[in-house]
Amino acid sequence: MRLKWSAAQQRRFRIGLREWYLRHQRPLPWRQTNDPYAIWVSEVMLQQTQVETVIPYYHRFLSGFPDVYRLAEASLQDVLKLWEGLGYYARVRHLHQAAQQLVRDYGGQLPESFEQWKQLPGVGDYIAAAVCSIAFNLPYAVVDGNVKRVLSRLLGCELPINQTSATRQYRMLAQELLDIRQPGQHNQAMMELGATVCKPRRPQCASCPVQKFCLAFKDGRQETLPLRLPGNSIPEYIIAVGVVHKNGKVLITRRKAEGLLGGLWEFPGGKVRAGESPAQACRREILEEVGLQIKVEAPIAQIRHAYSHFKIVLHVFHCSYLEGSVKLNGPVDYRWVALQELNNYPFPGANRKFIPRLLEATSCSDNPSG
Ligand code: SF4
């Protein structure tokens, strides 16, 4: 699909969009800076997370790691700690690796070319285009979910926005529409339009600055576009987790650095098998994963948590240590820690949901059920 607008139409569209953006943009913190590092951090955070959630994390992260050098020299654990709760932890592991690569190979200079950005861990078309256009004014169109929705409606495009092969088409359309004199502002205006006016449900066409260009509005299809391919149903897993008490401390383990929740700490446990009770699974998993014989004591909580592609129900138990010494099979590290020390470690969101209950409900005894 190609853009069929005349040059004059394109010019009028860009001017209308830019004027609206200059008047109506939200005063977001990453819009108050020209620092490419801060813009990069914000775009990584915004990739899969809502603006309102990102704002406090953005401030905390930049006060902890104000430049690429401070981020590069930090430990992964400290970096994960400031990201804790934001989810999609591969983003921050890659950000950390990329900072180390920039300091090692470029003396800490952030690249000013799209191709160089794409060489960095975790940097795809979206991040490279966003940083190059916003921080360096380079002519690369950004395509995220908001932009695809705006383009689909504006141009009456029926390519499903969740189809991988369609993203290339949307990128070409976005690139044709881009204001190459002010690409950063144009990209931000497109994303802002999608986020605040051309919303997924009930787009506010009456106050839309580009309504007169919009095919979906003209045809009354703004509620039916964009199209989406039907998604797969999301599986749900039952997980048993044990808080193993020994001599006033509890056992936590660290996940390997790669993969889901990589590098985070957690309480040992795993999936409940068919025909097994959560308590039986807890005992088996702890023996398999850390080599300890334990006794399952009182339940602590049942926690529901959703990830992007699956959901879990955690059954969490107090457990007493019986015998054995820790032998790791899966985790890469472990600690026996006092409950008060738990806040020093980065945990996944599902663990964070029951830690406060754990702190309230136990008096740190070796006999948690007593
Ligand atoms: Fe979206 Fe409505 Fe504007 Fe079209 S007129 S771009 S559907 S808000």
Side-chain angles (χ1 to χ4, degrees), residues 150-167:
V150 169
L151 289 172
S152 169
R153 289 172 174 166
L154 197 60
L155 307 173
C157 177
E158 296 189 342
L159 294 168
I161 56 167
N162 58 341
Q163 186 177 39
T164 314
S165 59
T167 298

Side-chain angles (χ1 to χ4, degrees), residues 150 153-154 193 197-198 203-205 208 210-211 214 216-217 222:
V150 169
R153 289 172 174 166
L154 197 60
L193 187 70
V197 177
C198 193
Q204 296 165 12
C205 303
C208 177
V210 295
Q211 185 209 84
C214 181
F217 178 75
Q222 60 271 47

Side-chain angles (χ1 to χ4, degrees), residues 60 77-84 343-346 352:
R60 271 203 308 156
Q77 178 161 325
D78 287 346
V79 175
L80 284 168
K81 187 68 193 162
L82 280 194
W83 201 273
E84 188 184 30
N343 282 334
N344 299 335
Y345 294 84
R352 273 278 156 226

